[in-house]
Amino acid sequence: MNFPKRAEVVVIGGGVIGASVAHHLAERGVRDIVVLDRAERPGLGSTGKATGGFRAQYGTAINVHLSLLSREKLMRFEEETGVDPGYEQAGYLWLAGSEAALETLRAGNRMQREEGLAEAAMVSRDEIARINPALNLDGVIGGAFCPTDGFIKPLQMLEGYRAAAERAGARFTWGVEARGIERDAAGRVRCVESSEGRIETDVVVNAAGAWARAIAAMAGVDLPVTPLRRQVVPTVPTEALPARMPMSIWAESGFHLRVRDGRVLLLWPTPGDPKDAFGTQIDPRWVDDVAAMARERVPAIREIPMDRPAAWAGLYEISPDKHAILGAAPGCPNLWLANGSSGHGVMHAPALGQLLAEMIVSGDGRAAALDVQPLRPSRFAEGEPIDGPALL
Ligand SMILES: Cc1cc2nc3c(=O)[nH]c(=O)nc-3n(C[C@H](O)[C@H](O)[C@H](O)COP(=O)(O)OP(=O)(O)OC[C@H]3O[C@@H](n4cnc5c(N)ncnc54)[C@H](O)[C@@H]3O)c2cc1C
């Protein structure tokens, strides 16, 4: 393919969010789309590192609504794109070890039910033992469970959106780095400089995940998105836990586990590498700590070794209030941001892609499916970040 000199829309970043935006724009009749990604092939960014959790149990209404819209879209994903997104309703089970943590779950549960997630429920210790008999419940006083939460397959979702967008005419270019963004005297973006040359364009979408801040800076826009390392260690292959075990999360520490492809995946959020914000090295002491937590909390895998060489790490794209940043960049009306999902970007990609495409084609910058005002990029400068318990 000759590298294009012009495109109606340039999307920077071909992860699940960039691909979803491209698909939803193409679905709305925008066909002249070029997606740039500096990686050699799809899935090398955070999307390929995600473990594939899906949930609507969040602490804020806007995140519940993003999940409900995504869930509706996951149900017809295969029809829409031709690819199975792997959505499996195995549930998310939260465990609280203190009255404070239980109260946070209770408040979240009340709000979730008010916003339409009727099946989310508070559960007693006995109910927890029935939902997931493999856990050691010492110290656990109660929890929350939603049976329609569960799992998705990040790379299949990326593939579905990419393939559908390409069928509709969008062009994905791999191994091409965005290096600069030029604005005209009125402040509008007019061209992207890339490692393969300049592309003139009417619209740029920043979908560069953990690297989004640098893309915005090319256009002189300050975007408060920072990388945060997340590590995962799998056990060796095992049948010690059932394949459909719900995602199980200790609310206080954030330690959680699930079964994927015949292994147990163990996660525990910690601050990133202090010496290298974009580093994705595995910290061996972290693996020791997680293995110790697993031995204590999940007796069924006490004797199952960790597969240390198979551990991996990737980057979350953290915004100051841990919610997505969606909309036109302040002061630059044709630079659109789909950033800062803060570790929820795969599950919210169906909703975010549709909503941003709606905003771009609407002419008045509004999304039709949902009121996305809370996610507006200007909220930090206005002193109105989203307020609410993070629930991870
Ligand atoms: C260990 C781990 C577990 C996770 N688990 C989950 C989960 O269970 N559920 C969930 O929903 N989310 C999860 N996430 C978060 C999820 O992976 C991200 O939120 C999501 O992948 C973000 O998608 P994206 O398309 O924005 O980013 P990416 O997939 O990172 O795509 C961004 C792309 O931009 C490209 N790029 C960057 N700079 C440039 C440039 N200058 N020029 C051209 N291209 C550029 C990169 O190459 C990359 O391909 C997890 C993340 C990690 C690390």
Side-chain angles (χ1 to χ4, degrees):
M1 177 179 84
N2 286 336
F3 193 72
K5 297 219 168 349
R6 214 208 108 70
E8 198 177 341
V9 178
V10 173
V11 178
I12 303 174
V16 71
I17 291 190
S20 175
V21 172
H23 162 70
H24 287 96
L25 281 172
E27 217 185 16
R28 282 161 183 73
V30 183
R31 298 295 157 92
D32 184 16
I33 303 168
V34 170
V35 182
L36 304 182
D37 199 300
R38 66 183 171 193
E40 288 306 318
R41 58 176 192 280
L44 296 181
S46 300
T47 301
K49 305 291 174 68
T51 51
F54 174 87
R55 63 176 156 119
Q57 287 182 99
Y58 275 100
T60 58
I62 184 67
N63 270 344
V64 173
H65 286 292
L66 288 175
S67 294
L68 291 178
L69 177 58
S70 281
R71 189 175 80 186
E72 194 186 306
K73 293 175 67 61
L74 283 166
M75 310 279 238
R76 46 189 170 80
F77 190 97
E78 190 162 1
E79 199 183 304
E80 192 174 319
T81 70
V83 176
D84 173 8
Y87 175 38
E88 197 184 351
Q89 299 191 341
Y92 254 62
L93 177 62
W94 294 82
L95 311 171
S98 65
E99 197 41 54
L102 196 58
E103 186 44 42
T104 303
L105 292 179
R106 254 189 227 117
N109 181 260
R110 272 194 301 273
M111 179 276 297
Q112 292 151 17
R113 293 167 62 88
E114 277 166 23
E115 301 301 327
L117 189 66
E119 64 274 32
M122 294 304 292
V123 284
S124 67
R125 214 164 165 274
D126 288 350
E127 286 165 316
I128 294 171
R130 276 196 295 278
I131 295 166
N132 189 346
L135 308 178
N136 171 3
L137 298 185
D138 285 355
V140 172
I141 60 170
F145 181 66
C146 179
T148 51
D149 287 352
F151 304 120
I152 47 183
K153 297 213 158 130
L155 288 175
Q156 287 175 211
M157 289 172 61
L158 169 54
E159 172 59 15
Y161 282 141
R162 184 197 61 74
E166 282 192 335
R167 279 195 302 276
R171 287 166 289 177
F172 283 67
T173 59
W174 303 101
V176 180
E177 184 172 58
R179 293 188 173 161
I181 293 177
E182 221 177 271
R183 292 170 68 174
D184 64 17
R188 293 178 65 83
V189 168
R190 67 170 169 211
C191 140
V192 175
E193 304 270 2
S194 83
S195 50
E196 294 290 317
R198 288 163 61 89
I199 319 180
E200 290 186 8
T201 185
D202 306 324
V203 170
V204 172
V205 176
N206 182 353
W211 303 271
R213 185 172 213 151
I215 300 296
M218 291 174 190
V221 170
D222 182 29
L223 177 67
V225 171
T226 50
L228 177 62
R229 181 184 62 182
R230 276 288 168 267
Q231 306 174 82
V232 186
V233 63
T235 63
V236 298
T238 175
E239 292 178 357
L241 294 176
R244 271 188 64 89
M245 186 189 89
M247 180 80 90
S248 302
I249 310 173
W250 276 256
E252 281 96 340
S253 64
F255 170 77
H256 56 289
L257 72 155
R258 65 163 293 195
V259 177
R260 189 175 91 175
D261 301 331
R263 295 164 182 258
V264 182
L265 303 185
L266 302 162
L267 293 97
W268 173 49
T270 47
D273 182 342
K275 292 192 285 301
D276 178 7
F278 287 93
T280 53
Q281 293 280 83
I282 299 295
D283 175 357
R285 280 165 313 176
W286 177 90
V287 179
D288 296 339
D289 291 344
V290 171
M293 284 185 215
R295 277 195 297 276
E296 186 202 323
R297 296 175 186 199
V298 195
I301 58 169
R302 192 165 280 155
E303 304 300 328
I304 312 291
M306 300 296 123
D307 187 349
R308 285 172 178 264
W312 75 87
L315 298 172
Y316 275 12
E317 63 297 58
I318 301 289
S319 79
D321 59 12
K322 299 209 170 103
H323 283 71
I325 298 173
L326 193 73
C332 189
N334 62 341
L335 172 62
W336 295 86
L337 308 173
N339 303 120
S341 279
S342 303
H344 315 134
V346 179
M347 66 181 98
H348 285 165
L352 294 174
Q354 176 182 325
L355 293 163
L356 196 74
E358 287 173 355
M359 293 167 96
I360 293 172
V361 301
S362 68
D364 63 4
R366 281 173 206 248
L370 200 62
D371 175 9
V372 289
Q373 264 292 97
L375 303 177
R376 69 194 180 283
S378 59
R379 68 185 186 268
F380 306 109
E382 291 161 2
E384 289 180 6
I386 297 170
D387 192 17
L391 285 189
L392 272 192

